[in-house]
Amino acid sequence: MARKSPSRLDMRKQVEAADALDEAAVKEKKPRKAAAPRVRKVKEKPEIRKRLIWIVYSGSMKEEGRFPYHERAAAEEKIEQLKLKSKKLYFIQPLKEIIGEDGVIVPVVSGSLDLDDEPVKPKKKVAKKDDDDDDDSSSEPDDDDDDDE
């Protein structure tokens, strides 16, 4: 037998009852307190002073000369002189040097940093024994503890 669908009136009563429960639940909830604004601590970065210099490099990145920023023409003259001596490639590149306290210039070293003061020692090669030797007297004795019984 086919099941009789609920009447529209019954369905409407069910929906209104569900809405009434939802409204009661909403009224019971307390509103949240507004969160206090977070204050971020700003780290004060030390003021780093820099100066720009022009560096004349060869094609193999060998430094040929350093010139202050306002002497770019002198750096270009140096390139022309070097080109007259040899037909290698020379170019100018700017570099920002850090100026430390009391006007002391901190040298910038391009390349890898040497973290260790000691030089790296190469490992010694260990000579391998030939497997063809069947001389057991030179090898270490086996640890067979079964014979002690």
Side-chain angles (χ1 to χ4, degrees):
M1 271 180 130
R3 194 179 217 189
K4 186 177 177 182
S5 61
S7 67
R8 281 190 255 158
L9 187 60
D10 291 339
M11 290 173 57
R12 182 168 183 160
K13 286 180 182 176
Q14 289 176 358
V15 170
E16 287 177 354
D19 286 342
L21 288 175
D22 288 340
E23 288 177 11
V26 169
K27 287 181 183 177
E28 290 177 9
K29 289 184 181 179
K30 294 181 181 178
R32 286 182 146 183
K33 293 182 180 178
R38 294 183 182 179
V39 178
R40 292 187 179 186
K41 294 181 182 177
V42 178
K43 292 184 180 179
E44 292 183 21
K45 294 183 180 179
E47 187 175 320
I48 298 174
R49 294 180 56 214
K50 296 181 182 181
R51 73 174 188 172
L52 189 83
I53 61 170
W54 300 108
I55 302 181
V56 178
Y57 287 106
S58 67
S60 60
M61 291 300 292
K62 180 182 174 192
E63 189 176 311
E64 300 292 334
R66 288 179 172 229
F67 298 91
Y69 178 75
H70 64 277
E71 294 182 8
R72 182 178 174 128
E76 290 175 354
E77 285 179 25
K78 177 77 172 183
I79 288 177
E80 296 301 323
Q81 290 174 358
L82 291 170
K83 283 184 180 178
L84 291 175
K85 287 183 183 178
S86 65
K87 294 185 179 183
K88 293 181 182 177
L89 173 70
Y90 296 98
F91 59 95
I92 300 175
Q93 197 167 22
L95 176 73
K96 291 182 181 177
E97 284 185 327
I98 298 173
I99 301 173
E101 294 178 12
D102 300 328
V104 177
I105 298 169
V106 179
V108 177
V109 179
S110 59
S112 63
L113 295 174
D114 185 22
L115 299 176
D116 298 329
D117 293 333
E118 300 175 13
V120 178
K121 296 178 183 178
K123 294 181 180 179
K124 292 181 180 179
K125 293 183 179 179
V126 178
K128 293 182 180 180
K129 292 184 180 180
D130 291 335
D131 291 336
D132 297 337
D133 277 343
D134 292 331
D135 189 17
D136 290 336
S137 62
S138 64
S139 65
E140 296 180 11
D142 293 333
D143 292 333
D144 292 336
D145 294 334
D146 297 338
D147 298 334
D148 294 330
E149 290 180 24

